[in-house]
């Protein structure tokens, strides 16, 4: 009989998503700076923190991962290299798009993309990984398509950005499912190192158009974005996944976009239309329908929810 007290794990999972739900605050504080410049420093600091954590506290996992790769079959080794590089590229694209959308379009668009993400991930899983979908999940997918049509009929630009963000992160999640046998923190550290290698040579390009000099406020917000809104919730989520099912995590993850929506209207004063409200209601209903029959799911410990500048993933 399992007598494990799951309350600390629920608390950790809940805390992770609440933290990610408030990501618009540090991003909005950096709105005067180019999105690429924010991305550059956010990746640089995040990978520095993760490298320190790996070298100081996770040497065993690093050595184990390296040994696992070195002793794998050539085909598996090539797959590891390919999907690690692809994952780093997808994460970079996703983060950049999310920063741009939050600061230059609106919070609603960014939040809508992460309500869409689980549904899109399910479709990609069905197409690419041959994962089965239940009838209620197909109904949820159909409702999500209706929701997208409603948003697109009102403002096609917002819909396209939402879809690009959701697709980039959904494809990223697919790469993580393929690499599910490897340590998540070590894998993320490698991907962020690759991300920094991708964007490092282009810093001059990313910082073009900057009208504000980098000062104390900029660096403080970058530290907050990287440490508090990336590394801290990442570890809280990993702790939660030790005992919680991926289905439970899948439910908790919707706290994030819901908080984003609430802040968009109540704090940042964003406006919306009746059509968009209807679309948001439909997508939210589809999420509930998609997650029905969770009790029938097997417990999985292969999930990881990594914030694309502070949002969520599913199945993970």
């Amino acid at each position: 009989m399992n007598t494990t007290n799951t309350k600390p794990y629920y608390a950790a999972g809940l805390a992770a998503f609440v933290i990610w739900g408030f990501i618009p605050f540090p991003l909005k504080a950096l709105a005067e700076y180019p999105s690429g410049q924010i991305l550059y420093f956010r990746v640089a600091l995040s990978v520095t923190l993760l490298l320190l954590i790996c070298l100081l506290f996770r040497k065993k996992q690093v050595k184990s991962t390296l040994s696992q790769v070195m002793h794998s079959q050539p085909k598996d080794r090539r797959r590891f290299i390919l999907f690690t590089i692809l994952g780093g590229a997808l994460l970079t694209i996703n983060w950049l798009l999310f920063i741009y959308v939050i600061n230059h379009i609106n919070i609603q668009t960014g939040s809508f993309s992460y309500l869409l993400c689980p549904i899109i991930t399910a479709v990609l899983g069905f197409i690419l990984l041959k994962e089965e979908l239940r009838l209620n999940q197909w109904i949820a997918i159909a409702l999500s398509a209706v929701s997208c049509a409603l948003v697109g009929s009102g403002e096609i630009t917002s819909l396209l950005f939402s879809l690009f963000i959701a697709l980039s992160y959904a494809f990223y999640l697919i790469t993580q499912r393929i690499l599910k046998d490897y340590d998540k923190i070590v894998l993320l550290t490698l991907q962020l190192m690759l991300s920094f290698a991708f964007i490092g040579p282009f810093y001059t390009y990313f910082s073009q158009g900057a009208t504000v000099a980098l000062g104390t406020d900029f660096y403080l917000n970058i530290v907050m974005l990287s440490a508090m809104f990336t590394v801290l919730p990442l570890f809280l989520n990993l702790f939660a996944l030790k005992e919680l099912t991926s289905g439970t995590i899948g439910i908790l993850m919707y706290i994030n976009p819901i908080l984003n929506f609430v802040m968009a209207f109540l704090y940042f004063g964003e406006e919306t239309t009746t059509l968009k409200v209807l679309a948001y209601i439909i997508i939210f209903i589809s999420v509930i329908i998609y997650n029905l029959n969770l009790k029938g799911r097997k417990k999985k410990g292969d999930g990881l929810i990594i914030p694309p500048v502070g949002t969520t993933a599913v199945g993970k």
Side-chain angles (χ1 to χ4, degrees):
M1 182 177 178
N2 185 8
T3 58
T4 303
N5 180 11
T6 58
K7 288 184 179 179
Y9 301 96
Y10 275 107
L14 183 64
F17 290 109
V18 169
I19 290 171
W20 279 329
F22 286 93
I23 190 69
F25 283 102
L27 285 180
K28 284 293 188 182
L30 295 166
E32 293 180 301
Y33 301 91
S35 299
Q37 193 173 39
I38 299 170
L39 175 70
Y40 176 90
F41 283 98
R42 195 254 179 163
V43 171
L45 186 54
S46 294
V47 75
T48 300
L49 291 172
L50 286 170
L51 278 171
L52 287 173
I53 289 169
C54 284
L55 294 175
L56 295 176
F57 305 108
R58 298 181 62 84
K59 289 182 180 179
K60 181 179 178 181
Q61 289 84 350
V62 172
K63 291 179 180 178
S64 175
T65 301
L66 290 176
S67 176
Q68 186 178 355
V69 174
M70 295 302 295
H71 291 89
S72 61
Q73 296 294 324
K75 180 179 70 173
D76 294 332
R77 197 178 308 129
R78 288 193 297 269
R79 184 174 67 170
F80 174 83
I81 294 171
L82 172 63
F83 286 106
T84 300
I85 294 173
L86 184 59
L90 287 168
L91 200 58
T92 303
I93 293 168
N94 180 268
W95 284 11
L96 180 61
L97 286 173
F98 187 77
I99 293 171
Y100 178 83
V101 164
I102 293 295
N103 282 347
H104 300 287
I105 298 181
N106 55 51
I107 298 172
Q108 300 170 57
T109 299
S111 301
F112 185 71
S113 67
Y114 286 103
L115 285 174
L116 283 176
C117 187
I119 307 296
I120 292 178
T121 304
V123 174
L124 291 178
F126 173 78
I127 296 172
L128 301 176
L129 303 181
K130 310 304 179 184
E131 295 178 347
E132 294 183 2
L133 292 172
R134 300 188 301 273
L135 176 60
N136 61 292
Q137 292 173 322
W138 282 114
I139 293 172
I141 290 168
L143 286 174
S144 298
V146 172
S147 180
C148 288
L150 289 175
V151 172
S153 65
E155 192 174 344
I156 190 66
T157 301
S158 294
L159 174 62
L160 289 176
F161 270 107
S162 291
L163 287 174
F164 285 145
I165 292 173
L167 279 170
S168 61
Y169 202 53
F171 275 113
Y172 173 76
L173 291 177
I174 295 297
T175 68
Q176 300 317 287
R177 288 183 180 178
I178 294 172
L179 299 176
K180 64 182 180 180
D181 295 329
Y182 299 91
D183 183 87
K184 302 300 186 294
I185 293 294
V186 175
L187 193 59
L188 177 63
T189 304
L190 288 173
Q191 289 167 341
L192 286 183
M193 289 173 65
L194 287 167
S195 175
F196 190 71
F198 297 151
I199 66 176
F202 302 101
Y203 175 73
T204 302
Y205 173 77
F206 282 143
S207 60
Q208 284 181 355
T211 57
V212 183
L214 303 183
T216 303
D217 288 345
F218 174 84
Y219 290 112
L220 285 176
N221 279 293
I222 288 292
V223 169
M224 185 184 302
L225 188 62
S226 304
M228 184 175 175
F229 288 91
T230 301
V231 176
L232 174 60
L234 170 62
F235 277 96
L236 287 172
N237 180 68
L238 283 175
F239 177 75
L241 280 165
K242 289 181 179 180
E243 289 296 329
L244 302 186
T245 65
S246 56
T248 301
I249 293 293
I251 294 297
L252 290 176
M253 64 171 281
Y254 296 110
I255 294 170
N256 177 359
I258 290 171
L259 284 176
N260 287 171
F261 278 123
V262 170
M263 283 189 297
F265 300 128
L266 299 185
Y267 186 85
F268 292 103
E270 291 187 3
E271 297 180 355
T272 190
T273 63
T274 303
L275 202 60
K276 277 190 175 182
V277 170
L278 180 59
Y280 299 151
I281 292 173
I282 291 174
I283 190 67
F284 188 71
I285 291 172
S286 74
V287 165
I288 295 173
I289 293 174
Y290 180 86
N291 286 287
L292 291 176
N293 301 322
L294 286 176
K295 291 182 179 180
R297 293 185 178 182
K298 295 180 180 179
K299 181 175 180 178
K300 297 180 181 179
D302 61 353
L304 174 63
I305 300 172
I306 304 171
V309 180
T311 8
T312 59
V314 70
K316 302 166 181 140

